Every structure is written in structure tokens, then in C-alpha cells.
Amino acid sequence: METVIGIKFNDFVLIATDMTAAHSIMVMKDDEDKTYNITNNVVMGVTGEAGDVPRFAEYITQNVKLYRMRNGYDLSIPAIATFTRKTVAEHLRSQSPYQVNFMLGGYNPTEKKSHLYFIDYLGAQVDVPYGAHGYGGMMTITVMDRYYKPDANYQEAYDLLKKCILEVQKRCIINMPKFKVKISCAGGVQELPIITKDNIEQKIIVNVKE
């Protein structure tokens, strides 16, 4: 009953997640942040079991910080993706598997290259231009197939994300009224305006610090 969307462009990556925390048929809260800043330029959107998501995200974040403290520099974005996939795969073969699916992305200002990875609870990892997890993914992939442009600017990318979320809110029987949006670009990971069912059809100007 959750949705996470990731889209990679030439100069940045967008990650969006719904903000609904539900248990069975009840909505517990509507301001849950399911995005996690792994480093200054890597962000991860995670869905899955309520207990596994923060535990897994915290484990990855702290281990990446530990690597930086020991070595004096961050892991590369592909290395972080490989480490997260390896963690999921190892726990899958234990008595405490992580039931998490996530999109991990970031922009490397040194290489001037963006990365986006689709990783699921079975440890499958794919480098993709765009992807989604959850029920919302069934409605958004076709929208991105139709409108995706790798050279889009910030405003065009945000508007594409709004098209995807509009389709989710229109087609999906499950209520997902709010989506948290983050961007990884040359200026690092930044938050963009939250997309809600009230403002989704309005023009929202995107301001990104370079």
C-alpha cells in the first residue's frame, strides 16, 4: 500500500515517496518521511514493513558514515548500491530478512553523472533511468515511458513527477494524498515542495540551489 518513485536525469535524480503510514485498514499518520539521506548526494526512498524500513535505512546510513570516518572519503554511489543489495541478500538467507524495497539514487558532481538503482527485497539490483515500487508503480511506469526525457530541466522533471502522482491518486483505490520529493544534484540532496492532492493541479515553481 506504499509507493516510491525514482527518475534519473542527466544532471540530477528525483526520489518521491508517499507519506502515509498505515496499519491494516487504518491510517496511522499522513506525514511519514520514507526518504533517507545516505550521504550529502545520495538519497534512498524505502517502502516495506514498518519495523524493517527505519532499521534497515539506519543500518545502511551509519555503515556508510563509518566507512567515511575510517577512510576519509565516501563510498561511490554504485558501491553504496552494491553494499545495500549485499545487505538485503545476506539477510534474506538468515532468520531475519529485511522486507524492504527501495530506489537509491544520487548525482556525482566529480564525474558529473547521475545514478539510480531499483533494488527489491530479494536482493535484485538494476541500474535504471526510472522505476517505482508498490501499487503506485503499476500506474506510473507507463506515464514515465511516455513523457520521460533524460535532458529535462528541474521544472520539467518535477512536472513529470506530478503527472505520475496524479495518475496514482486518480487510479489507485488506496488513498495516498501526500508525496515527499527530494532531489540529488550538484548542490547536494535537497527537499522540493510536497505534492498533495490539493496542489497537484496547480503550477508549482521549483527552486534548486546549485
Side-chain angles (χ1 to χ4, degrees):
M1 295 189 292
E2 299 174 292
T3 299
V4 55
I5 304 168
I7 315 177
K8 176 176 71 175
F9 299 92
N10 291 344
D11 300 319
F12 59 96
V13 172
L14 285 180
I15 298 286
T17 63
D18 74 284
M19 300 180 71
T20 302
H23 177 70
S24 184
I25 62 171
M26 294 179 62
V27 174
M28 308 305 290
K29 57 189 296 191
D30 65 355
D31 57 355
E32 180 76 4
D33 187 357
K34 301 173 186 176
T35 62
Y36 297 87
N37 296 354
I38 307 300
T39 67
N40 292 334
N41 63 332
V42 179
V43 62
M44 180 169 65
V46 192
T47 66
E49 292 293 330
D52 286 349
V53 168
R55 190 163 60 97
F56 173 77
E58 190 72 13
Y59 177 82
I60 297 300
T61 303
Q62 297 307 321
N63 272 275
V64 171
K65 286 181 180 178
L66 178 62
Y67 183 91
R68 181 171 66 241
M69 290 169 61
R70 286 177 171 173
N71 298 278
Y73 58 90
D74 278 319
L75 283 165
S76 67
I77 301 171
I80 292 173
T82 301
F83 172 65
T84 55
R85 190 213 72 82
K86 181 173 179 287
T87 301
V88 171
E90 286 177 345
H91 281 77
L92 184 65
R93 293 157 178 82
S94 72
Q95 294 183 352
S96 56
Y98 287 116
Q99 296 293 321
V100 292
N101 299 295
F102 52 99
M103 302 296 300
L104 186 148
Y107 178 76
N108 188 328
T110 305
E111 298 177 351
K112 295 185 178 179
K113 184 178 180 181
S114 52
H115 301 266
L116 179 66
Y117 296 93
F118 175 103
I119 306 174
D120 68 9
Y121 75 102
L122 295 173
Q125 174 186 324
V126 187
D127 187 347
V128 293
Y130 51 81
H133 285 291
Y135 287 126
M138 301 176 188
M139 294 89 175
T140 58
I141 294 296
T142 53
V143 176
M144 292 186 280
D145 280 341
R146 172 66 180 84
Y147 295 105
Y148 173 73
K149 296 188 301 180
D151 60 346
N153 58 35
Y154 299 132
Q155 190 65 54
E156 291 169 340
Y158 188 79
D159 290 343
L160 170 57
L161 198 54
K162 286 173 65 179
K163 281 188 174 75
C164 293
I165 293 169
L166 180 62
E167 201 67 20
V168 172
Q169 293 176 343
K170 180 181 178 182
R171 303 288 181 187
C172 192
I173 195 171
I174 299 163
N175 186 30
M176 299 183 197
K178 296 167 67 177
F179 279 76
K180 166 93 82 182
V181 184
K182 286 190 178 179
I183 184 172
S184 173
C185 59
V189 175
Q190 303 172 40
E191 287 191 21
L192 297 184
I194 292 173
I195 298 173
T196 71
K197 63 181 181 181
D198 297 321
N199 70 11
I200 193 164
E201 296 192 28
Q202 300 171 5
K203 184 67 175 179
I204 302 173
I205 304 301
V206 176
N207 295 312
V208 179
K209 297 178 181 178
E210 293 288 352

